[in-house]
Amino acid sequence: MMVTAATYESLMQFLYQAPIGLVQTTLAGDIEMMNPTTARLLMPLSRDGGLDNLFTALENVAPRLRHMAAAVDQPSGVVCDSLRIPLPATGGSAGSVVLSISMLKLDEARLVAVINDVTLEVQREQEGLSRTLGVAERVDKLTGLPNRFAVLERLQASMKLAAKEPGHEFALLYMNGDRFKQINDSLGYAVGDKLLSLIAERLRSTLRSRPRDGPGTLGGPLIARIGGDEFAVLLDDLKPPNNVYGVAQRLVDQLAKPYTIGTHELFCSVSMGVVLRDTASADADAVLQDASLAMAEAKRAGGMRFVLFEPGMHSRATHRASLEVDLRLALTDDQLFVVYQPVVGLQGKQSAEGIVERSAGVEALVRWQHPLRGVVPPFEFISVAEECGLIDALGEFVLRTACRQFVQWQAQLGARAPRTLAVNLSRGQLGEPGLISIVDGILRSSGMPPAQLQLEVTESLAAQGESALAKLRELKALGLTLALDDFGTGYSSLSSLHQIPVDTVKIDRSFVSKADTSLHHRVLIEATIHVAHSLGMNTVAEGIETQAQADVVRQLGADKGQGYLFSKPLLSADLVKWLEIEK
Ligand code: C2E
Ligand code: CA
Ligand code: CA
């Protein structure tokens, strides 16, 4: 291009008016030329109102610039490219101004610099960064699901909406894995992590196939991982008629199905607490807490189910908390004791009067003599003990006491002594790594003959997969026998009975109590006895209260019976008397 005087003039005009700062200096930084933008940008840095030297002006904010320029020893070259210079915030201005400076050594005598105000650019970058940070803060790294933060935020939003729109419904579903800890402890964190990812995936796929309840107001359901093995689902697109229970049940069902990890087939059902809009507190944190209270009730009821939150749970939780404090004392203060309920043979020898029931054994049942509350029933405190980690100490106490007592009866009563001792093993105990050696130690120290000890486990416990079954086999290797307690109330069926290494099946009281009035229950009892016998197991009918019930279960082939008809659980001294009368 030919540079005419006119084009030169317009170029100068352009440079002069450009919204970027242009400045030319000597190698020492003395300003030879600058445009008004430069003056505007640098003026705040000038202490005396003059702008003579660029390096002096920038002395406080970019002290290195002078040295950088001097360091370029070639005749020409780049001094710096887009060097960012944050200026000190001046009073009243929101956020500090950031300049960007690019400097070139033009020749042996001159430097030129381009100065930009990049404040907005920097702000935008920071916002972008905090947006990604914000996302990271709201995402669980392992599963990629939103986390607790995210749930609280959206819950808050949903609650706000509900306050404005009476028709807006929402429900918070809070889930906790029923036996994640055992899996994690026995198979390691890598398997645990994988399992959590699979649970997350199953939640997603189950909800993806959810029939829509209505047009969404805040988007689809929010699925989140809010802690170790705790997940939450926020359904906030509910329109009447909605079906929260249907969704909750479907999740419970789907999550109860096995997961395959490597060679392991793992079961990790969930307990779920559900809070509906109607019973929701005003604060998102409190809603989450209420959901976890309901979840804990679902867990206590045996897991693999959902429980709806209701405000009465608060006082129950307080009651349990005080029980927990008291129970710790009870263990050290001798407030616990053991009673024994006779288990009698039903298929005994004939006598002139008919069939004679013979004492076969006893079941040890724990009792708590509370200093103020009186006798607290086990269903109130066993679950408390499980939750607060006292179940091992409690279980050990019962086993030790009962074994000692049994040995004492043998010495005292000889042939009249009970022949077997049944002791309950709770869910929490089977997961305990030291269980086998504890049981072994008690057998040895008490002198209890292992073959006469029977440990009772519940169905749900026995149906918990391979590691639980392995534990049961280890127990049996000590020489004792096992019973499946409360059969019929849990989830394992007759068809899976052969997989559980037990010697005895105890048919639950809920069946026995209807044995004489309901054909349906009679058929189930008969089938249970039949299958048990075919597997070489014997049977106990629990909770027999009437002669009619006793007669029916005896006819159906039950080997033994237990219940108030024969005797309530008794103190040792009363049991000794009862044995006298029975003989
Ligand atoms: P379970 O193992 O099924 O024990 C039988 C329960 O039924 C006992 O209640 C017993 O008193 C009661 N029962 C027996 N015969 C009858 C009857 O004819 N009618 C009625 N209505 N009830 C009858 P208990 O002692 O209150 O124990 C309740 C549950 O607490 C037990 O159920 C067991 O699961 C648990 N438990 C009791 N003691 C212990 C223990 O030492 N350790 C553990 N882990 N659990 C225990
Ligand atoms: Ca039992
Ligand atoms: Ca039972």
Side-chain angles (χ1 to χ4, degrees):
M1 173 172 84
M2 268 280 293
V3 180
T4 61
T7 51
Y8 184 76
E9 177 61 23
S10 63
L11 181 62
M12 286 312 286
Q13 279 295 323
F14 169 69
L15 295 177
Y16 192 78
Q17 290 169 6
I20 53 173
L22 296 165
V23 55
Q24 179 184 308
T25 71
T26 64
L27 291 190
D30 292 328
I31 295 174
E32 294 176 338
M33 279 198 299
M34 66 175 170
N35 65 355
T37 304
T38 304
R40 183 171 58 76
L41 292 176
L42 296 185
M43 200 50 89
L45 294 169
S46 156
R47 258 164 280 170
D48 51 9
L51 270 177
D52 301 325
N53 188 288
L54 183 62
F55 295 140
T56 309
L58 297 173
E59 193 69 62
N60 286 332
V61 290
R64 283 168 52 238
L65 197 59
R66 191 192 298 271
H67 308 292
M68 287 162 76
V72 181
D73 46 13
Q74 259 83 28
S76 65
V78 176
V79 175
C80 65
D81 183 18
S82 307
L83 178 73
R84 286 203 171 161
I85 305 175
L87 304 191
T90 52
S93 72
S96 71
V97 172
V98 182
L99 300 183
S100 160
I101 182 164
S102 299
M103 187 180 273
L104 196 69
K105 185 174 175 185
L106 206 61
D107 54 37
E108 302 274 341
R110 290 177 299 171
L111 298 166
V112 287
V114 181
I115 304 172
N116 273 307
D117 181 347
V118 290
T119 309
L120 274 178
E121 197 180 317
V122 169
Q123 262 171 17
R124 256 181 240 124
E125 278 172 17
Q126 277 172 352
E127 276 165 21
L129 196 67
S130 70
R131 254 202 306 280
T132 35
L133 268 184
V135 171
E137 274 164 15
R138 284 164 181 74
V139 171
D140 166 52
K141 286 206 181 60
L142 180 67
T143 58
L145 290 178
N147 63 13
R148 186 186 188 90
F149 258 147
V151 173
L152 287 174
E153 251 177 23
R154 180 127 148 218
L155 190 56
Q156 202 75 62
S158 206
M159 288 161 68
K160 251 194 199 151
L161 199 62
K164 275 192 283 180
E165 286 178 28
H168 179 78
E169 296 290 334
F170 65 86
L172 181 72
L173 282 49
Y174 187 109
M175 283 155 273
N176 180 292
D178 285 333
R179 46 188 307 275
F180 180 77
K181 188 180 174 303
Q182 281 111 297
I183 294 173
N184 216 26
D185 288 350
S186 60
L187 299 177
Y189 294 132
V191 172
D193 282 358
K194 179 79 187 143
L195 179 60
L196 290 172
S197 309
L198 291 178
I199 294 175
E201 186 44 47
R202 197 166 289 172
L203 278 170
R204 285 194 197 102
S205 61
T206 306
L207 287 168
R208 216 178 287 136
S209 59
R210 176 168 81 105
R212 304 290 298 177
D213 297 304
T217 43
L218 283 172
L222 178 79
I223 309 168
R225 175 170 174 236
I226 52 181
D229 59 341
E230 307 210 312
F231 293 85
V233 169
L234 178 61
L235 301 168
D236 55 7
D237 55 350
L238 300 168
K239 287 267 151 113
N242 58 62
N243 185 9
V244 177
Y245 302 152
V247 177
Q249 189 59 52
R250 193 157 58 250
L251 283 171
V252 168
D253 291 344
Q254 288 301 317
L255 294 171
K257 293 184 177 166
Y259 299 89
T260 308
I261 299 177
T263 53
H264 304 287
E265 187 173 67
L266 301 174
F267 291 85
C268 188
S269 60
V270 296
S271 300
M272 182 193 285
V274 178
V275 178
L276 299 178
R277 178 210 156 128
D278 293 344
T279 50
S281 312
D283 158 68
D285 250 322
V287 172
L288 215 57
Q289 250 168 32
D290 289 347
S292 90
L293 270 186
M295 180 281 293
E297 299 236 341
K299 184 142 291 192
R300 277 195 287 281
M304 216 197 288
R305 71 194 64 212
F306 73 88
V307 165
L308 207 58
F309 168 77
E310 27 114 350
M313 286 177 182
H314 286 295
S315 60
R316 288 213 287 280
T318 317
H319 175 67
R320 294 175 68 82
S322 79
L323 270 189
E324 179 182 331
V325 173
D326 294 354
L327 190 56
R328 282 180 200 280
L329 259 177
L331 273 162
T332 52
D333 248 16
D334 283 341
Q335 294 170 18
L336 298 179
F337 61 100
V338 182
V339 290
Y340 304 89
Q341 185 174 36
V343 181
V344 303
L346 292 179
Q347 311 289 339
K349 296 183 303 227
Q350 292 283 332
S351 74
E353 305 90 57
I355 293 162
V356 172
E357 282 135 4
R358 294 177 43 120
S359 163
V362 292
E363 176 176 0
L365 296 159
V366 69
R367 294 290 178 267
W368 177 10
Q369 180 68 50
H370 190 285
L372 300 174
R373 299 177 204 269
V375 176
V376 186
F379 73 83
E380 267 195 47
F381 67 87
I382 296 282
S383 58
V384 174
E386 285 201 26
E387 274 167 42
C388 67
L390 288 174
I391 192 65
D392 298 315
L394 190 150
E396 207 178 319
F397 163 79
V398 176
L399 186 62
R400 193 182 302 280
T401 307
C403 285
R404 281 189 191 147
Q405 184 63 70
F406 188 89
V407 172
Q408 210 177 316
W409 287 327
Q410 285 193 316
Q412 183 189 345
L413 305 171
R416 289 186 294 118
R419 271 175 280 278
T420 57
L421 170 68
V423 179
N424 293 283
L425 203 60
S426 98
R427 243 183 299 169
Q429 285 175 276
L430 204 69
E432 214 29 58
L435 177 69
I436 308 294
S437 67
I438 288 172
V439 174
D440 191 33
I442 291 175
L443 286 171
R444 286 171 199 276
S445 66
S446 64
M448 173 82 199
Q452 284 169 283
L453 177 65
Q454 183 159 72
L455 294 181
E456 298 192 357
V457 298
T458 58
E459 261 189 281
S460 59
L461 186 153
Q464 277 175 0
E466 192 43 46
S467 63
L469 296 182
K471 203 55 154 292
L472 294 181
R473 283 191 286 269
E474 272 184 80
L475 280 172
K476 285 197 65 161
L478 296 175
L480 48 81
T481 61
L482 295 177
L484 195 54
D485 207 354
D486 307 339
F487 188 81
T489 55
Y491 297 88
S492 63
S493 61
L494 275 177
S495 60
S496 59
L497 200 53
H498 69 281
Q499 292 166 338
I500 309 171
V502 293
D503 308 273
T504 301
V505 177
K506 297 188 81 168
I507 303 165
D508 192 68
R509 182 164 66 90
S510 55
F511 290 83
V512 175
S513 64
K514 299 198 180 76
D516 54 335
T517 52
S518 151
L519 177 66
H520 172 73
H521 288 83
R522 205 152 54 232
V523 169
L524 284 173
I525 294 170
E526 188 169 21
T528 304
I529 293 170
H530 185 80
V531 173
H533 284 172
S534 75
L535 293 167
M537 303 169 180
N538 59 47
T539 51
V540 179
E542 286 191 292
I544 300 175
E545 293 184 348
T546 67
Q547 191 59 52
Q549 290 164 3
D551 291 342
V552 173
V553 296
R554 177 192 291 127
Q555 276 152 25
L556 295 177
D559 302 288
K560 296 174 191 171
Q562 180 179 354
Y564 293 171
L565 173 69
F566 310 111
S567 171
K568 291 203 166 184
L570 302 168
L571 287 168
S572 172
D574 296 326
L575 179 80
V576 172
K577 282 185 212 141
W578 183 87
L579 290 168
E580 292 283 344
I581 301 164
E582 280 297 292
K583 286 288 139 180

